[in-house]
Amino acid sequence: MNDIRPAILLFVAFTILCGGIYPSLVTGIAQTVFPHQANGSPLADRSGRVVGSALIGQPFTDPKYFWPRPSATAEFGYNPLASGGSNLGPTNPDLLRQVGERVKNLRAAGLAGPVPADLVLASASGLDPHITPAAARLQTARVATARGVGEDVVAKLVADHTEDRQFGILGEPRVNVLALNLALDKLTP
Amino acid sequence: MSAYDLTETVLFFAVLLAFTKPFGAFMARVYQGERTILSPLIAPCETLVYRLCGVDRNEEMEWKRYAGAMLLFNGVLFAGLFAMLMLQHLLPLNPQKMPPFPWPLALNTAISFVTNTNWQAYAGEQAASYFTQMAGITVHNFVSTATGMAVVVALIRGFARRTTSALGNFWVDLTRGILHILLPLSLVAAIVLVSQGVIQNVAPYRSVPLVQATDNVQEVTIPMGPVASQEAIKELGTNGGGFFNANSAHPYENPTPLSNFVEILLILLIPAGLTHTFGLLVGNPRQGWGILAAMLVLLILSFGILQWAESDGNPLVAGLGVQGANLEGKEVRFGLAGSSLFTVATTGTSCGAVNTMHDSLTPLGGMVPLMLLLSGEVVFGGVGSGLYTMLAFVVIAVFVAGLMIGRTPEYLGKKIEVREMWLSIVTILTAGVVVLIGSGVALLVPSAVASMANPGAHGLSEVLYAFASTANNNGSAFAGLNANTLFYNLLLAVAMLLGRYVPAVAILALAGSLAEKKYVPPSLGTLPTDKAPFVVWLVLVILIVGALTFFPALAMGPIVEQLIMIR
């Protein structure tokens, strides 16, 4: 059993190398070259106070804000300490009951026509910061009314906060809800 | 499928295939001990590691010693991680004051990471300290991956070498894999991921006020941590254990469509490259391309079915006035193709990271990842383990074809005899036996049935998926199932151990047996294994073995649920 020595020593060597030096090196480079991203892409409100992250969604229910996707995180929606999806299967009665209630809420808020799927189906992370441009467009009138500004002003803000596919190819066009709502607050407190 | 989805998919496969040849050739040089462009930097470190750890790099091992060293090393790894999880509260870098893991969970988690499964019955942001994530889980992501690569390299030597018992040196293969391949690539990938928004720090969690506070919640706590360094090797090594509970769906693990693209690429990079490494080392690159073709056919087929099933949406939800694809458990930014590609890549390989909640896929859509697991993780497969399991399938395909056309079966100039068939069959059927017996036992235990999150046929799929995932060392889940119970922690740990080490030892025995054989030059009667008909035959053998083993179980799970859904 002269293999015991390398087994233990290599375990120690790789723990130092892959668990100490490598992550420290990545941290050092990341904090130097991309400090904003490495520290969680923080977002500030108009007073400069950090109120969240461009990557982590927040719950909104007030009519003067754009509403995000439903979130299935534990305790309360958009709980960053409990990331995860609903894990409800497609035929689960609970899923259909929840979706039915969400559709009813949107109808009560004045939304007519087909409901975009992202507004009533929970995301995988429970923290999805985005909605589709279609889901944002359908909320523009409500937000404009609640804030007493022209619909075109809000629509322009939505357009400004719509990201295209990355490089025009990858992923989907999307609207960052928290960033958009912070911009609205800067416009009309 | 939209034109954008199609473009992204085609682009993805083009990039993957562009990398396969040069990267496969690079890995071949590394495992031959030849110089590469990184040698000036890394060779001195390698020498230092050997000197400090008492490794004689020129010493050759026969298969029993190679297997013994592998098992011994994995035993040390297990003990190290188990101790770290149990003592987490005493160790540094724990700003959130995480308590120790309870022992059944620590046992399950340690086995999970040592076996390259990365099944997680805990939520990272609520249970693991930064020290555990870096010095424990990240380290195991490297070493379990390099272990799988070493085993497949030994098997390749078994095919390539003649009348010898020497298969190489486990310690050297392990060290070369980590130093020359995994560390440099992870470093580059981690920085690319940070540029997209993956976090990398050791700061305490950050509390922020909600923009619209509610009666119950005025502020939330956003977790932090050294995520990028772990994310890179997690995908590259087909490990799959998430820093956060939501895994690669979490915006801090996978923030943009580009990070998603890079992560899928990392998952498939080494398994694809190894097919070419294999071709080069056995002296006939066409043999490697044949295997790559069989894997590609199965992966693209799976992707097509999943994409179709999900884009059609859920008819029960559509009945409520909702329009669009099945977005339950999906993120907006990835798009449907980005979600589907990730899902087939992560389950075709033994990765098990998820950017989509598989539990919420449509029934037929969910059957695709399940089927990829059940086929034994050969659609690219785990780093190392995918190729060696695929080669066991090749041995069986050669043997069955040989019987049908009445010839002595041989592959790469080696006669396939009773011993080789036995070892190949053990490799392939171990996981299936564990899945069926394990799921069967679980369905008889009331507390295990109570862990199901969804009623009816979908609940059965959850249990079946849990055993398929662990026995094949994947680690993804139909995550509704509450697996953090004594029953599942222990039984699934057994499934992971059997699923990893029985095939790995059988493969090393196969390597030993093949290496000792004489070379038989190809004759007119030799079945060509590098031509299209054999590729088709190989795909059929994989599908038939998978279907025969699992059809009854699948019929009661996803197939019944699909019928209920469209009724």
Side-chain angles (χ1 to χ4, degrees), chain A residues 3 22 27 31 38 40 55 58 61-62 69 81 83 86-92 115 117 122 124-125 128 166 171, chain B residues 8 65 125-126 196 200-201 211-212 229 245-246 251-252 258 314 321 323 327-332 360 454 561:
Chain A
D3 281 329
Y22 158 72
T27 308
Q31 290 290 338
L55 296 177
Q58 288 192 7
T61 50
D62 194 314
R69 300 184 63 183
L81 278 180
S83 64
S86 71
N87 287 313
L88 294 174
T91 58
N92 193 322
V115 180
S125 64
D128 194 341
Q166 216 167 356
Chain B
E8 178 167 352
R65 180 151 174 234
E125 63 266 52
Q126 292 188 341
Q196 294 300 299
Q200 179 73 22
N201 59 58
V211 173
Q212 185 203 324
S229 52
N245 187 49
Y252 276 166
L258 178 63
N314 179 343
Q323 192 179 47
L327 289 183
E328 182 75 22
K330 291 192 182 67
E331 302 279 296
V332 167
S360 296
N454 285 284
E561 197 189 8

Side-chain angles (χ1 to χ4, degrees), chain A residues 64-152:
Chain A
K64 70 172 183 171
Y65 287 121
F66 281 86
W67 296 343
R69 300 184 63 183
S71 161
T73 56
E75 295 174 64
F76 53 92
Y78 286 90
N79 179 1
L81 278 180
S83 64
S86 71
N87 287 313
L88 294 174
T91 58
N92 193 322
D94 285 346
L95 173 74
L96 303 174
R97 187 181 46 73
Q98 287 178 11
V99 173
E101 277 169 21
R102 290 166 190 156
V103 171
K104 219 189 314 172
N105 280 344
L106 290 170
R107 296 272 183 243
L111 189 138
V115 180
D118 58 312
L119 273 188
V120 290
L121 294 177
S123 63
S125 64
L127 306 173
D128 194 341
H130 300 112
I131 53 176
T132 58
R137 269 196 302 275
L138 284 171
Q139 302 187 53
T140 309
R142 185 196 73 228
V143 173
T145 311
R147 288 184 178 260
V149 295
E151 216 178 305
D152 53 330

Side-chain angles (χ1 to χ4, degrees), chain B residues 243-428:
Chain B
F243 196 97
F244 300 111
N245 187 49
N247 208 301
S248 296
H250 197 292
Y252 276 166
E253 288 200 26
N254 195 353
T256 66
L258 178 63
S259 67
N260 192 51
F261 191 91
V262 169
E263 287 179 18
I264 307 171
L265 190 64
L266 289 173
I267 292 173
L268 293 173
L269 191 60
I270 297 183
L274 276 175
T275 60
H276 185 51
T277 308
F278 166 74
L280 287 174
L281 293 183
V282 298
N284 181 357
R286 288 180 55 96
Q287 299 288 352
W289 298 136
I291 288 173
L292 181 70
M295 291 172 166
L296 269 179
V297 166
L298 286 165
L299 189 73
I300 291 172
L301 199 67
S302 307
F303 170 75
I305 296 172
L306 178 61
Q307 179 78 5
W308 164 76
E310 295 304 297
S311 61
D312 246 17
N314 179 343
L316 302 175
V317 167
L320 299 168
V322 179
Q323 192 179 47
N326 176 28
L327 289 183
E328 182 75 22
K330 291 192 182 67
E331 302 279 296
V332 167
R333 61 191 177 281
F334 304 141
L336 205 52
S339 302
S340 303
L341 259 183
F342 198 110
T343 300
V344 295
T346 197
T347 49
T349 69
S350 79
C351 184
V354 296
N355 79 351
T356 296
M357 292 301 137
H358 296 182
D359 216 345
S360 296
L361 293 171
T362 59
L364 278 189
M367 195 164 88
V368 169
L370 185 54
M371 202 56 215
L372 283 168
L373 301 180
L374 292 174
S375 68
E377 305 280 31
V378 291
V379 183
F380 290 88
V383 167
S385 61
L387 182 57
Y388 67 61
T389 312
M390 185 57 131
L391 288 171
F393 265 113
V394 170
V395 167
I396 287 170
V398 165
F399 186 81
V400 177
L403 286 183
M404 288 165 74
I405 56 175
R407 303 210 186 259
T408 327
E410 47 189 66
Y411 179 52
L412 304 174
K414 297 293 173 84
K415 259 199 195 130
I416 305 298
E417 292 169 291
V418 175
R419 185 172 159 82
E420 290 74 39
M421 273 306 286
W422 264 110
L423 294 167
S424 300
I425 286 182
V426 165
T427 302
I428 282 165

